[in-house]
Amino acid sequence: MRKQIAAANWKMNLTLAQANELLDEIISKRISISKDQEVVFGVPFPYLLLSKEKVKHLQGYFISAQNCYTHISGAYTGEVSAGMLASCAIEYVIIGHSERRDYFSEDNRMLAQKVDIALSNELKPIFCCGESLKVREDGTQNEFVEKQLATSLFHLKPSQIQNFVVAYEPIWAIGTGKTATSDQAQEMHAHIRNVFSKKYGTAVSDTISILYGGSVKANNAKEIFSKPDVDGGLIGGASLNASEFEVIIRSLK
Ligand code: PGA
């Protein structure tokens, strides 16, 4: 069975003291997860090592960075490389979040480079895709998302896309309180799986975890995660509250 994942995306939130407290609170709940489930904390760079230290003995709990740079090393003041993350024993990196695409002009080709450098450092990308409200209103969301995936990922070998993690996050649902219905999520997730299946075959596409993101909360996670092609979520706002995130973790299939 492919992994069912509850991934927190803290974005640019919390002080060190608050990050400590939030992790301690979640860990103290001793939420046991099955071997097919994972909990991932996508934390700001300064909190990676601290977070890693806290979860390193917990089965199925992992830490993610929220970004990495396209280059190996060098004169890129302020950037963080995939190799640095790997050297800190970080397992995941979020790549291509819509906020990076919108505010930092990251395009599909640049994201292809980031995916490559992440994989070559044995980091697992959580690759984000998803359409704006305008695209959804035009009814071209399927083509739009397919292009994002094809441009950034289709150069990969089947062995590299095996067990890959994709997060579908419709931009109109991020931080807006407006969630896609579980049927809308399922429809897009099935489309995404089909896009991978056409390129790589079903044996590979069936191993890809496709997470839904966009206003997932304690009160809607169970319904959204129940859909056959939804393999968990990438959670922003609700991951900053231990009780909310606990319910979301417990909602995994
Ligand atoms: P949200 O954010 O849960 O606050 O909508 C999700 C995300 O951007 O990853």
Side-chain angles (χ1 to χ4, degrees), residues 70-143:
T70 45
H71 287 63
I72 295 172
S73 64
Y76 303 104
T77 303
E79 290 297 329
V80 172
S81 75
M84 291 174 186
L85 299 175
S87 75
C88 296
I90 300 309
E91 295 91 357
Y92 279 98
V93 56
I94 298 172
I95 292 181
H97 190 280
S98 62
E99 287 148 18
R100 302 285 326 165
R101 293 173 184 263
D102 285 354
Y103 307 146
F104 302 95
S105 309
E106 297 192 1
D107 62 20
N108 291 329
R109 287 190 189 287
M110 180 191 212
L111 298 175
Q113 286 180 279
K114 291 194 174 195
V115 166
D116 285 345
I117 202 137
L119 289 174
S120 64
N121 282 282
E122 280 163 36
L123 290 169
K124 292 189 78 170
I126 298 175
F127 183 82
C128 301
C129 60
E131 80 286 356
S132 63
L133 185 58
K134 166 91 178 56
V135 171
R136 171 74 45 173
E137 283 172 350
D138 289 347
T140 53
Q141 65 272 14
N142 284 6
E143 295 82 347

Side-chain angles (χ1 to χ4, degrees), residues 216-244:
V216 175
K217 309 281 179 217
N219 64 12
N220 60 20
K222 189 110 200 157
E223 161 72 15
I224 297 171
F225 297 173
S226 73
K227 295 292 173 181
D229 286 294
V230 179
D231 306 311
L234 181 57
I235 296 105
S239 73
L240 298 171
N241 178 294
S243 311
E244 280 262 327

